[in-house]
Amino acid sequence: MNYQFQWGVLWSGQSGSWLLQGVLTTLGISALAWILAAALGILSGALRTVPWRPLRAAAVFYVEFFRNVPLLVWMFFWYFGVPPLLPRPVQDWLFNHGAEFWAGMFALGVYHGARMSEVIRSGIQSIPRTQFEASMAMGLTTFQAYRLVIVPIALRLIVPPATNESLNLLKNSSVALTISVAELTFQTRQIETYTAKAIEALTAGTLIYLVLCVSIAAVMAWVERRFRIPGLIARGG
Amino acid sequence: MSETVIEFKAVDKWFGKLHVLRAVDLAVSVGEVVVVCGPSGSGKSTLIRCVNGLEAIQGGELVVLGESITRPGVRMPALRTRVGMVFQSFNLFPHMTVLQNITLAPVRVKGLSAAEAEKTARALLERVRIPDKAAAYPANLSGGQQQRVAIARALAMQPRIMLFDEPTSALDPEMINEVLDVMTDLAKDGMTMMVVTHEMGFARRVAHRVVFMDGGSIVEEAAPEAFFAAAQSDRAREFLSKILTH
Ligand SMILES: Nc1ncnc2c1ncn2[C@@H]1O[C@H](COP(=O)(O)OP(=O)(O)OP(=O)(O)O)[C@@H](O)[C@H]1O
Ligand SMILES: [Mg+2]
């Protein structure tokens, strides 16, 4: 083996700032997409359990449509497919204002929202129906029962699977490199191109993803403990 | 004649093909305590769940506090603030403290300030004899304590009617009385109550009337003394012999 490791390529030249920008872009696109996914997931997950069929049907459509389209196709759709449908000035404006970032964020958020929806639905369905009845019996509207009782309980129950989904979302943000979002994977590829040092660049990328994921898992573990429902079996950690 | 607050008029209820309430007629006056008993599956829970609209009816008419609740456009949440319900399984919200459980509806539905609601809640906890549990979570209470909180939670809306669906069936024997005592106090204070229960001692002492159901119909209604001493129907006698001898 005559490969010469040169770890120095990671901090010489522009590599350091590329990596930093990559991390920031990855965090930015993931955080925004996560908020979108959480909002869509809670909304559609709750709608799938309400007593009105048309709302349930709309939520089923959203989930089945989006989770069954590959994320990559979906990103291409928003980046290459949609802008040509818009008026020329809007297109120009978009491409001058980071269209790829917004297309990627939107695709990621909507796709993971559909997956989050299933997690939230299963959480809601694990709550005994009588909790809903008790809420209604005291005069809450269906909306209030969901907002004040059902969803808050469900969110506390689903932290572990939601952690999993959040990590998937972060890792899937790397797909945005295909529409030239300069996120972390994109930047490691760039370092590799400039320095021809693939192992070093990819190792750096790998370690950074690892650190990000472990940090997110730690935060979620804290959230789980902080909002634990008293009386449920305490999980380790 | 005293005011009628609940009136079933030939009420029919189906679950799909299952005919669960068959032309039920029943009138409850203000301040009256009605105990509903009967074999499992006879429709007792369904009967009282119709009163606050947890179950819809398919035939007849049901008038609660002067409002026909089968009329289209009737606002059920508003009606439900005046009809409290206590369930067999307590149904306290596990993520909220006792105090939060009790103040939720007064604040969110009636628009009381948090301070007012808390004041009422503490007075009610006093009344159900657990003043020191305001900050506890349901999971840290005994079944009897949880059910008393559930009663306090329902009373916090100052309902005119209270419905109880087997409030002591999920309790260990030594806790049944603490709940029945609270219910007895409530009855003495003049609350209108419909109580599904197999606690015949409670029925004897507190009820003004016992309603016996079987197969979705009211087979017999009578004052407790008359019902226990000399039930008219075979089915009621058979039911009583089973329930009183064990
Ligand atoms: N949501 C429902 N869907 C279908 N059938 C139901 C439903 N709820 C109750 N039933 C049926 O309706 C009948 C009456 O039920 P209900 O719960 O009112 O009986 P009950 O007298 O309260 O019995 P128990 O003493 O066991 O509580 C039963 O045959 C029951 O199986
Ligand atoms: Mg029942």
Side-chain angles (χ1 to χ4, degrees):
Chain A
M1 197 185 81
N2 51 15
Y3 184 87
Q4 292 286 315
F5 283 98
Q6 285 184 21
W7 295 103
V9 300
L10 295 178
W11 44 87
S12 59
Q14 288 186 278
S15 301
S17 76
W18 284 342
L19 281 177
L20 182 63
Q21 278 168 28
V23 170
L24 292 179
T25 306
T26 289
L27 284 177
I29 199 170
S30 301
L32 291 174
W34 189 88
I35 291 169
L36 180 63
L40 288 171
I42 291 171
L43 183 67
S44 64
L47 287 182
R48 289 197 65 176
T49 66
V50 297
W52 299 297
R53 190 187 295 266
L55 289 180
R56 284 205 304 271
V60 169
F61 176 80
Y62 162 66
V63 170
E64 293 306 335
F65 189 82
F66 288 106
R67 72 170 177 175
N68 290 318
V69 175
L71 179 58
L72 181 61
V73 173
W74 193 223
M75 287 210 174
F76 285 172
F77 178 82
W78 281 102
Y79 186 62
F80 298 115
V82 171
L85 303 176
L86 300 171
R88 190 75 220 187
V90 179
Q91 276 184 54
D92 290 343
W93 188 88
L94 275 177
F95 283 103
N96 287 328
H97 290 83
E100 69 283 353
F101 180 88
W102 297 108
M105 189 282 287
F106 200 73
L108 198 59
V110 171
Y111 175 82
H112 278 281
R115 298 178 49 107
M116 210 72 100
S117 176
E118 285 295 277
V119 171
I120 287 167
R121 175 173 71 101
S122 71
I124 291 176
Q125 287 177 337
S126 71
I127 301 171
R129 215 195 134 60
T130 50
Q131 290 276 314
F132 179 68
E133 290 179 345
S135 317
M136 302 301 278
M138 61 172 65
L140 300 183
T141 60
T142 302
F143 179 72
Q144 284 178 317
Y146 270 83
R147 187 165 65 86
L148 300 170
V149 178
I150 303 300
V151 170
I153 295 176
L155 291 181
R156 285 165 166 83
L157 296 175
I158 56 136
V159 176
T163 303
N164 220 2
E165 268 315 311
S166 306
L167 298 181
N168 282 340
L169 186 153
L170 180 91
K171 290 179 280 183
N172 277 346
S173 67
S174 62
V175 175
L177 85 85
T178 57
I179 55 172
S180 1
V181 176
E183 47 67 67
L184 181 57
T185 308
F186 179 98
Q187 298 290 19
T188 57
R189 298 288 311 272
Q190 175 149 298
I191 294 171
E192 182 198 329
T193 310
Y194 273 72
T195 63
K197 289 292 168 191
I199 296 189
E200 289 84 341
L202 290 171
T203 304
T206 306
L207 287 178
I208 293 172
Y209 276 116
L210 193 69
V211 168
L212 293 180
C213 286
V214 169
S215 310
I216 290 172
V219 170
M220 295 294 267
W222 177 83
V223 168
E224 186 181 359
R225 278 197 305 279
R226 168 72 181 70
F227 293 99
R228 195 173 60 83
I229 296 175
L232 290 192
I233 298 165
R235 281 175 270 270
Chain B
M1 215 183 91
S2 56
E3 181 197 354
T4 298
V5 284
I6 304 172
E7 190 168 15
F8 288 77
K9 298 178 188 170
V11 167
D12 276 302
K13 162 82 194 163
W14 276 272
F15 283 118
K17 288 207 168 71
L18 193 65
H19 200 172
V20 186
L21 296 181
R22 299 167 182 263
V24 168
D25 285 305
L26 178 69
V28 179
S29 314
V30 68
E32 198 179 8
V33 178
V34 174
V35 160
V36 182
C37 63
S40 181
S42 56
K44 308 178 296 290
S45 298
T46 307
L47 182 81
I48 68 165
R49 288 162 59 88
C50 288
V51 175
N52 66 349
L54 285 184
E55 304 292 354
I57 65 174
Q58 280 80 42
E61 193 188 9
L62 178 49
V63 182
V64 179
L65 295 169
E67 256 193 293
S68 171
I69 68 164
T70 36
R71 195 169 43 83
V74 61
R75 280 204 70 243
M76 289 316 291
L79 176 86
R80 287 177 183 138
T81 63
R82 299 188 288 155
V83 182
M85 185 167 217
V86 174
F87 300 82
Q88 179 175 352
S89 50
F90 325 137
N91 290 334
L92 297 180
F93 304 136
H95 63 306
M96 295 181 182
T97 63
V98 163
L99 194 63
Q100 290 168 332
N101 264 279
I102 300 176
T103 56
L104 178 71
V107 171
R108 299 295 182 154
V109 180
K110 280 199 163 171
L112 258 61
S113 73
E116 282 172 288
E118 179 172 340
K119 198 160 151 261
T120 318
R122 290 193 185 277
L124 284 167
L125 284 174
E126 201 81 52
R127 190 164 162 196
V128 299
R129 301 166 198 177
I130 33 174
D132 53 337
K133 294 294 184 188
Y137 281 88
N140 300 324
L141 301 181
S142 72
Q145 291 171 332
Q146 288 188 57
Q147 194 61 299
R148 284 183 284 154
V149 172
I151 294 172
R153 181 173 74 172
L155 292 176
M157 294 300 281
Q158 298 177 310
R160 299 214 32 217
I161 298 171
M162 284 285 286
L163 307 171
F164 293 84
D165 191 358
E166 304 205 30
T168 58
S169 299
L171 295 177
D172 293 336
E174 73 271 18
M175 293 172 190
I176 289 178
N177 280 331
E178 64 194 45
V179 171
L180 291 180
D181 288 347
V182 166
M183 291 169 62
T184 306
D185 289 351
L186 199 56
K188 288 211 182 97
D189 291 345
M191 178 64 77
T192 309
M193 297 165 55
M194 279 186 82
V195 185
V196 177
T197 185
H198 292 151
E199 291 297 328
M200 292 301 137
F202 174 83
R204 224 186 271 273
R205 279 182 283 112
V206 181
H208 300 111
R209 191 157 36 128
V210 176
V211 167
F212 173 73
M213 291 186 74
D214 194 14
S217 307
I218 293 181
V219 177
E220 199 163 334
E221 28 176 329
E225 312 81 54
F227 181 73
F228 291 114
Q232 300 298 303
S233 61
D234 291 343
R235 282 187 283 180
R237 276 196 298 273
E238 189 190 324
F239 172 78
L240 281 175
S241 72
K242 273 186 202 147
I243 199 160
L244 294 177
T245 51
H246 76 225

